Amino acid sequence: MAAQRWSGVIRVNSLHQPSNLPRFINADIQMQNTTSTPSPADLRPSSHRKFNQLSRTPFISDAVAKHYDSHCSFDGRYRRAARLLQILWMKDHGIPNATVDERGAHLGSYLRADAADSGKNFISPEVHLLALRELLLREEDAAIDEDRLLTNTLSSMPLVFNAFGPLALDTKLATAVFRQMLPDFVHSVEHIAFEHSPGRRDERFLADRSAVDSAVHITTPEGQAGIVYCEVKYSEDMTGPAARWRERYDQALKQVRLYRNPDSPILRSPPIEQLMREHMLAQLAVDNGITPRAMFIGIAPRLNRRADAAFRVYSSELVPVDDDDRTRVPFRHFTLETLIDAIDVAGARETADQLWKRYCDFQRIYNAALAVIGPKAPYIELSKSETTPPAEPNSKTSSHSAGSRTRRSQSDGQAGVSESAEGSNG
C-alpha cells in the first residue's frame, strides 16, 4: 500500500512551553505529495449518490440552542451542533431524555434510565444485544463505561457499536466495506473485536490499559492474517486529558521505529499521545507475533475539524513507510462519512441511512437553526440554491431530509485522568 507522506509546516497557536503543545488543534498543516483513498462514493455513478455533507458545521447560537433545549455552556461549535442533532434524533424516535434526578438531564442528550436499559441508544435490537454480549465477555480490565455506552448519545462509544456492530454481525458486509476502504490490505474480514488490546498491562506492550475501539481481523489479498486496529472519534474536542506518562512509553517510542523524532513534545501532548499509544500497540502486536500484518486507522466526522487536525498532525510525526516492508504498521485516517458511504455501496442501505441521520445529517441542523432565526429577518423568497449551504467538495449527496443511571463520573464521554485515560475512547 502506498504510504501517506506528509510534508510542510505546522503553525501552532499555543503558549510557548512544550507542555502546552496539545493546543495545536488550530494548526494549519500544509501538505504536499500526499496520497488519499478515493471515497466509496466514487464507485457509484454520480447520479446515484445519496449523502451530501455541508462544507462546515452550522453555527448554533445560544438562542437556537435554548430553543431546542440543547444549550450547554462548554460546548464548542461542532459539539453544540452534534448535541442538537442527537436531541432531534431522540425526539424522532420518541426517546425520553434523563430525568431531573439523573446525571446529564440538563444536557438533553442523555437517555432516561429505562430507555437506556431497553437499548434505545443503538440503531437496532441486534446491535444492542451485541453490545450487551460484549459487556459480558469484555477482555480482562477493559475500560468500557457502561453508562456512557448505554446512556450518552453524544459519546463515540455507542457510535463504535452502531457503526461496527452491523459489520461484526455480518462479515460478508464487513468484507465489502473494508475492501472499499483498504483495497490493498483487506481481502476478507473474519471477525471484529471491541475495546481490544493485544496485551493489557503486559510489559511486552505498554504495561498499561491502552486499547483500541475495535480490532478488525482480516485476511490480506496475499492470504496472510492481519488486523486493522481502529480509533473512532465523534464529538470529542481533542483537548485531553492525557494518560499518566510512563517510562515504558519512552522505551516503546524508540523500539517501534515509527516516528521521525521519538522525543518530540507533540507526541506527548493530548490528543496525539492517545493515537501514539494505540499505534504503538499495533506495531508491538506485529513485533511480538500476535499478527503478521497490521494497520492502524482513525475515523472521525468530516466536520469535526479538531479530530481531523489531530489525525493530520499525528501523520506528520511518522516516518514514511516502505511499501516493501510489511513488518511496519501504517496509519490511515478516514471520515465517518466515508465509512457510511462504504456501508451504503456494500448494499446495507438502511443501515447507512440510519447512521447518516443519527450522526452526520447536519443539513438538518442548518434547517433547524434557520427555522428559529429566519422569522426575525425580513422575508425574502430564496431559490433552492440560496437556501442550501455549499457541500464539501467530493462528498456524498443526499436525497433525505432531514434503576437510575446516576453514577457517571465524567460528562459527554470525556475520559478521566491517569489510568482511566489510558483506556479511554471518547
Side-chain angles (χ1 to χ4, degrees):
M1 176 174 296
Q4 282 193 339
R5 294 176 173 86
W6 309 97
S7 62
V9 178
I10 303 173
R11 293 197 293 270
V12 182
N13 295 330
S14 68
L15 299 178
H16 296 294
Q17 292 85 349
S19 61
N20 288 313
L21 279 173
R23 301 178 185 270
F24 72 88
I25 284 300
N26 292 322
D28 175 15
I29 308 169
Q30 299 172 341
M31 295 170 292
Q32 300 174 350
N33 302 322
T34 61
T35 61
S36 60
T37 301
S39 167
D42 295 334
L43 302 177
R44 183 197 296 126
S46 59
S47 60
H48 296 160
R49 292 183 180 178
K50 296 177 62 179
F51 302 122
N52 181 29
Q53 189 53 281
L54 303 183
S55 59
R56 63 182 62 88
T57 304
F59 175 78
I60 305 302
S61 66
D62 287 349
V64 171
K66 290 175 181 178
H67 177 87
Y68 290 105
D69 296 324
S70 64
H71 183 263
C72 180
S73 60
F74 57 77
D75 282 347
R77 178 166 174 163
Y78 179 80
R79 186 191 285 261
R80 176 171 283 203
R83 189 185 303 280
L84 177 53
L85 182 58
Q86 295 306 307
I87 290 173
L88 295 179
W89 173 83
M90 290 170 65
K91 290 181 178 179
D92 288 345
H93 294 81
I95 300 172
N97 61 346
T99 59
V100 292
D101 61 336
E102 295 176 314
R103 180 75 178 272
H106 65 291
L107 299 173
S109 53
Y110 280 81
L111 274 65
R112 200 170 69 193
D114 57 339
D117 289 337
S118 60
K120 299 300 184 181
N121 207 14
F122 303 97
I123 63 173
S124 72
E126 292 78 14
V127 172
H128 175 221
L129 180 59
L130 173 68
L132 295 179
R133 287 160 54 190
E134 291 294 326
L135 278 173
L136 292 174
L137 294 176
R138 74 187 80 178
E139 296 175 3
E140 294 295 330
D141 212 16
I144 298 180
D145 186 325
E146 181 179 345
D147 284 319
R148 195 163 67 195
L149 174 65
L150 301 178
T151 312
N152 185 356
T153 63
L154 207 56
S155 170
S156 59
M157 192 172 287
L159 166 59
V160 171
F161 279 95
N162 284 327
F164 284 83
L167 309 185
L169 295 169
D170 184 350
T171 54
K172 289 184 178 179
L173 172 62
T175 294
V177 168
F178 276 91
R179 276 184 178 178
Q180 294 176 64
M181 296 177 67
L182 299 169
D184 296 330
F185 190 70
V186 176
H187 172 71
S188 61
V189 173
E190 310 306 327
H191 69 95
I192 298 177
F194 295 87
E195 186 58 27
H196 170 72
S197 172
R200 206 176 262 107
R201 297 192 187 278
D202 190 327
E203 292 290 341
R204 296 176 303 161
F205 294 90
L206 299 181
D208 66 3
R209 299 176 69 197
S210 294
V212 294
D213 287 318
S214 65
V216 182
H217 293 253
I218 60 102
T219 299
T220 70
E222 297 77 23
Q224 279 187 303
I227 301 176
V228 181
Y229 294 100
C230 310
E231 172 61 27
V232 180
K233 300 297 184 185
Y234 181 50
S235 66
E236 290 87 343
D237 59 12
M238 313 303 286
T239 57
R244 175 174 60 85
W245 193 260
R246 299 166 181 262
E247 182 180 356
R248 175 58 184 144
Y249 298 167
D250 289 313
Q251 298 168 353
L253 277 165
K254 296 177 175 63
Q255 177 183 347
V256 296
R257 296 181 292 115
L258 291 171
Y259 304 103
R260 298 178 185 274
N261 176 14
D263 297 319
S264 169
I266 292 178
L267 293 172
R268 292 156 171 78
S269 63
I272 299 304
E273 61 84 25
Q274 183 191 13
L275 300 175
M276 174 206 70
R277 285 185 285 110
E278 294 177 12
H279 196 178
M280 290 199 299
L281 278 181
Q283 184 62 61
L284 291 168
V286 173
D287 295 347
N288 285 292
I290 301 297
T291 180
R293 300 286 303 279
M295 181 176 289
F296 177 48
I297 69 171
I299 297 175
R302 174 178 286 110
L303 297 183
N304 189 336
R305 306 299 192 190
R306 293 188 174 192
D308 180 70
F311 290 154
R312 295 181 185 278
V313 170
Y314 180 69
S315 295
S316 73
E317 294 294 309
L318 300 173
V319 297
V321 175
D322 185 343
D323 296 343
D324 296 327
D325 186 355
R326 297 187 176 183
T327 66
R328 299 290 86 201
V329 177
F331 171 66
R332 304 288 300 278
H333 56 95
F334 300 88
T335 66
L336 177 59
E337 289 87 340
T338 296
L339 175 61
I340 293 174
D341 202 75
I343 292 171
D344 182 77
V345 171
R349 294 178 176 86
E350 182 178 352
T351 297
D353 286 347
Q354 288 178 296
L355 290 171
W356 182 267
K357 292 175 182 176
R358 169 79 188 263
Y359 293 109
C360 296
D361 190 5
F362 285 88
Q363 174 72 51
R364 181 179 189 184
I365 301 308
Y366 171 85
N367 293 339
L370 193 61
V372 175
I373 66 175
K376 299 178 182 179
Y379 177 76
I380 302 175
E381 185 173 356
L382 302 177
S383 68
K384 181 178 180 181
S385 62
E386 291 173 315
T387 58
T388 303
E392 187 80 13
N394 298 321
S395 65
K396 297 100 202 132
T397 58
S398 176
S399 59
H400 302 288
S401 309
S404 176
R405 302 188 177 279
T406 58
R407 64 182 181 278
R408 286 183 291 276
S409 59
Q410 303 289 335
S411 65
D412 283 345
Q414 294 298 303
V417 295
S418 190
E419 289 195 345
S420 61
E422 294 164 5
S424 170
N425 292 288

